[in-house]
Amino acid sequence: MAQKAAWIGLGVMGFPMAGHLVAKSGVELTVYNRTAAKSAAWTGKRKGSAAPTPKAAAAGASIVFSCVGNDDDLRQVTMGEQGAFHGMAAGSLFVDHTTASADVARELHAEAKKRGIGFVDAPVSGGQAGAENGVLTVMCGGEASDFERAEPLIMSYARMCKLLGAPGSGQLAKMCNQIAIAGLVEGLAECIHFGKKAGLNMEQVVEVISKGAAGSWQMENRYKTMIADKFDFGFAVDWMRKDLGICLSEARRNGAHLPVTALVDQFYSEVQKLGGNRWDTSSLIARLEK
Ligand code: NAP
């Protein structure tokens, strides 16, 4: 009999991830989405059924996945009145792909443990394209035995998945990821802004410098749209500010110095004032060119 699984949150990321899971792993999947129309759209395209609450979706599942917005959303879909934890049996496993704080990961790991449920924090990197193509990078925290159960299923939509330490370590690794991206995108924005002011053909310039030491994923994938001032896609500024807020509050606690990250967070607040809440993070260039 097929393994029963559940998926909570069919947003930009969760929708294609759940699709790859069902297509490649052979699990019998029940999905839940707060806005029911998205569950209906998903079951219209993929094999699986929809449930009206996280609790109902999780009932009878040996593994439950989630990919929702932030800490509070995650608490709601796990511990809330109709949360998944209330439907899960001892011995089952919860895998969370939300980008959230390390604190909430530790808190939910402890809550799950009281009920005999395993919990792995497993935020992802690779964006919408990575989710759609099933090639995400997944950073995990939790217990090795839980990770070993989750990994083969996660590999349905990932090309890299690693256990990085105790509960919360996946979220801490995702913070490293976002810290590394923040300053890099600002550098890329300043590079393109400067080159345009200097009268250079930036398409040609980036074609050359992307092959040298300045090359990056952001440069390869974002330079064309940055030059063209197109930001209506990708990873939203609001999400990035949520992530940088998590990084800065963790740094206040662990004593790390993140001056550039703090500054770039403020730059993103200016992009929000320009109306860019849902713009891609490469829109840092918009505040230089306004
Ligand atoms: P999204 O498109 O906004 O989807 C969020 C999903 O969470 C939706 O299904 C939403 O339901 C659900 N949700 C939010 N709050 C909820 C609540 N309180 N109760 C129940 N369901 C709730 O976001 P996304 O782009 O998929 O991102 C999801 C997570 O992945 C975020 O933590 C984000 O930071 C992270 N992430 C995103 C990307 C990216 O490129 N997009 C990349 C890496 C990581 P509704 O449909 O009802 O709104």
Side-chain angles (χ1 to χ4, degrees), residues 81-208:
E81 207 183 318
Q82 293 298 323
F85 283 6
H86 304 305
M88 293 172 71
S92 59
L93 176 63
F94 194 97
V95 177
D96 175 48
H97 292 304
T98 310
T99 303
S101 68
D103 274 351
V104 78
R106 292 183 201 110
E107 172 191 321
L108 292 178
H109 175 271
E111 279 297 336
K113 198 162 187 158
K114 278 188 216 159
R115 299 158 192 260
I117 302 168
F119 185 94
V120 175
D121 51 297
V124 305
S125 173
Q128 181 173 356
E132 286 170 356
N133 296 321
V135 292
L136 292 168
T137 295
V138 186
M139 298 148 265
C140 299
E143 283 153 40
S145 56
D146 292 332
F147 172 78
E148 280 156 20
R149 277 198 285 163
E151 188 193 15
L153 296 181
I154 292 175
M155 288 310 285
S156 312
Y157 42 82
R159 68 173 163 206
M160 166 59 93
C161 174
K162 208 169 169 59
L163 181 64
L164 296 160
S169 303
Q171 296 297 352
L172 292 170
K174 174 73 183 183
M175 292 174 214
C176 295
N177 187 78
Q178 300 306 69
I179 291 163
I181 286 175
L184 192 150
V185 176
E186 174 62 15
L188 180 56
E190 291 183 15
C191 154
I192 292 172
H193 172 66
F194 171 87
K196 282 165 91 175
K197 286 272 183 209
L200 291 169
N201 177 330
M202 284 312 288
E203 294 261 358
Q204 283 181 3
V205 171
V206 175
E207 199 184 318
V208 175

Side-chain angles (χ1 to χ4, degrees), residues 8-17 32-36 38-39 54 66-77 97-100 123-129 131 136 174 177-178 222 234-236 238-240 242-243 278 280:
I8 298 164
L10 298 169
V12 168
M13 301 298 283
F15 194 108
M17 289 161 80
Y32 162 78
N33 196 72
R34 179 178 56 183
T35 306
K38 280 191 209 163
S39 312
S66 63
C67 188
V68 294
N70 59 27
D71 284 20
D72 288 343
D73 302 327
L74 182 57
R75 283 194 186 94
Q76 201 172 343
V77 300
H97 292 304
T98 310
T99 303
V124 305
S125 173
Q128 181 173 356
L136 292 168
K174 174 73 183 183
N177 187 78
Q178 300 306 69
R222 294 290 184 260
F235 186 58
D238 280 355
W239 278 148
M240 187 60 164
K242 170 200 54 130
D243 293 1
R278 295 298 295 183
D280 181 67

Side-chain angles (χ1 to χ4, degrees), residues 33-53:
N33 196 72
R34 179 178 56 183
T35 306
K38 280 191 209 163
S39 312
W42 192 91
T43 52
K45 271 179 81 173
R46 298 288 188 180
K47 200 162 152 249
S49 55
T53 64

